[in-house]
Amino acid sequence: MNKATETVKETTETMTARAKELFGNMSAQAKTAYEKGTEYVSQANEFNKANIEALVASGKIAAKGAQDMGQTYATDLRSNFEETTATLKQFAAVKSPTEFFQLQAATVRKAFDTGVAQTSKNTEQFIKIAGEVVQPISNRVSETMETFKKAA
């Protein structure tokens, strides 16, 4: 019976040692997995935070650009109103049909030139603002692509 007890005791000790080793390995692996998971979550949070910051920066640029364009339109409108008022005064002072047609031709030509110039200026301003609005997002996409290239 002594031998049987000893065999059971040895088997129990061996199994206990293996169980401790197995659970120790599992514990270490679980800890490593937890640390990696925490790191990934932290990186994901930083990634999303940078994306949101890029969108906010883009939004601020768009708002400022819209404000600038609104001021430009208001200035143009004011200038056009003043020009129209002055032209109407000139029309009121016309003394002959020839003078009327000459003034009308000059007014139409000036209005056309002014319209083309203002439209050109506004288009250039819009294109510039659109490029500035896209820039923070474009930078973010470039950074993201570099991150993926490094990870691959």
Side-chain angles (χ1 to χ4, degrees):
M1 180 119 179
N2 203 4
K3 185 148 176 106
T5 305
E6 199 170 302
T7 303
V8 170
K9 183 178 176 184
E10 285 177 12
T11 303
T12 303
E13 287 174 0
T14 303
M15 290 186 74
T16 302
R18 285 185 184 166
K20 283 182 181 179
E21 181 182 339
L22 177 65
F23 286 118
N25 287 341
M26 287 175 50
S27 177
Q29 289 174 349
K31 183 178 178 181
T32 302
Y34 173 78
E35 289 170 355
K36 284 183 179 180
T38 302
E39 180 183 340
Y40 290 141
V41 168
S42 175
Q43 289 174 352
N45 285 339
E46 289 299 317
F47 178 79
N48 289 333
K49 180 181 175 187
N51 288 346
I52 290 170
E53 288 171 355
L55 289 173
V56 168
S58 181
K60 286 179 181 179
I61 293 168
K64 175 73 170 103
Q67 181 182 13
D68 291 347
M69 287 190 77
Q71 289 173 346
T72 298
Y73 289 137
T75 300
D76 289 348
L77 185 62
R78 191 176 314 114
S79 174
N80 291 343
F81 178 77
E82 291 169 358
E83 185 65 35
T84 301
T85 303
T87 301
L88 288 174
K89 287 180 183 178
Q90 290 175 340
F91 273 109
V94 167
K95 306 256 191 262
S96 71
T98 304
E99 191 179 344
F100 174 82
F101 287 118
Q102 288 174 344
L103 181 59
Q104 184 182 23
T107 301
V108 169
R109 189 172 32 255
K110 186 172 184 178
F112 178 79
D113 291 344
T114 300
V116 168
Q118 287 175 349
T119 300
S120 176
K121 177 182 67 173
N122 292 337
T123 300
E124 288 175 17
Q125 185 179 14
F126 179 79
I127 290 170
K128 179 181 178 268
I129 291 168
E132 291 172 355
V133 166
V134 171
Q135 194 59 50
I137 296 169
S138 176
N139 290 345
R140 190 68 195 126
V141 169
S142 294
E143 290 173 17
T144 302
M145 294 309 291
E146 284 299 318
T147 301
F148 286 142
K149 284 180 185 177
K150 288 178 185 176

